[in-house]
Amino acid sequence: GANAGAALAGAAGSAAAAASARTARARAMIDPGSYDGEKDLQGLRHGFGQYTYPNAYFTYEGEWVGGQKHGQGKLLLGDGSCYEGAFHGGEIEGEGRRVWPSGATYTGQFHLGERQGQGTYVCDKGSHYEGEWRGNKRHGRGALRLPDGALYDGDFAFHRRSGRGTLTTPDGGSYTGDWLDGVRHGSGQMRWPDGATYDGEWRGGVFAGTGA
């Protein structure tokens, strides 16, 4: 839905930013940009300092080792977003926090500039996800709360509900069972607010068979 679209847009933006940062680093080997900070005996950035990339879109302030961003630092982007946290060998790697101009935030683990591992994403549209990530997508075990108050707690695969999980709605209804590509698919139990239940097979989000 719209929430998944917004999250996917955020994921695409993060991937684009990581790619842009790698391009900027390559250009910096030709044009050194502007640096104000500590250096080692070989003249490499080493210690604490601030570096503005040649295109002025990226500014990094933090720790350096042997000419590379390494340690704790803050990367500011020209669109108003920023990342603050761990760097390793010039890459965003480890624990950190990303903030987008929209107000959306992600706090957790990163790998090569992408959300990967455990983390919490708070969308400016009102959704909230806490759990596992892979390649900027919800992947693994997690809990997603939607703007309408519904809560899904279970498995995700490539940003969609897939595997086993429970969806609880604000009106008291719930479904516990199998999911595939974001819809009920497999074996599961649906409980409606009036107390009625269906326990059986599902296909593409609808009943399949008589159930119980």
Side-chain angles (χ1 to χ4, degrees):
N3 297 308
L8 282 169
S14 181
S20 295
R22 286 192 286 271
T23 300
R25 285 197 301 275
R27 290 181 58 189
M29 295 177 69
I30 302 172
D31 183 343
S34 174
Y35 176 72
D36 181 16
E38 299 173 294
K39 296 182 179 181
D40 62 15
L41 295 177
Q42 285 73 44
L44 297 174
R45 296 183 286 273
H46 193 94
F48 187 88
Q50 179 175 300
Y51 177 73
T52 301
Y53 283 81
N55 63 7
Y57 186 82
F58 298 96
T59 299
Y60 171 78
E61 182 176 29
E63 297 176 305
W64 299 81
V65 173
Q68 293 186 317
K69 300 185 293 292
H70 193 94
Q72 292 295 308
K74 186 173 186 178
L75 183 66
L76 304 175
L77 287 75
D79 64 1
S81 62
C82 71
Y83 166 82
E84 187 167 8
F87 290 79
H88 185 88
E91 299 285 355
I92 292 174
E93 186 79 26
E95 297 279 343
R97 186 169 190 260
R98 178 82 191 273
V99 179
W100 286 266
S102 65
T105 64
Y106 170 82
T107 304
Q109 297 173 320
F110 290 81
H111 176 60
L112 296 177
E114 295 186 331
R115 300 188 289 277
Q116 185 144 319
Q118 288 287 331
T120 299
Y121 180 84
V122 180
C123 181
D124 57 301
K125 305 299 183 182
S127 62
H128 178 283
Y129 172 78
E130 183 173 359
E132 296 178 290
W133 296 80
R134 182 188 295 177
N136 282 331
K137 293 179 172 60
R138 297 185 294 263
H139 193 90
R141 187 78 182 181
L144 174 65
R145 184 171 295 279
L146 300 172
D148 64 2
L151 174 66
Y152 173 80
D153 189 348
D155 298 324
F156 290 83
F158 304 106
H159 226 58
R160 293 176 176 269
R161 288 172 285 200
S162 287
R164 293 286 295 182
T166 297
L167 176 67
T168 305
T169 56
D171 59 10
S174 67
Y175 169 82
T176 298
D178 296 325
W179 297 79
L180 181 66
D181 289 334
V183 298
R184 294 180 286 271
H185 190 93
S187 177
Q189 182 184 74
M190 183 79 171
R191 181 178 298 276
W192 283 269
D194 64 3
T197 62
Y198 169 83
D199 192 350
E201 293 299 309
W202 297 76
R203 290 291 180 271
V206 296
F207 317 140
T210 56

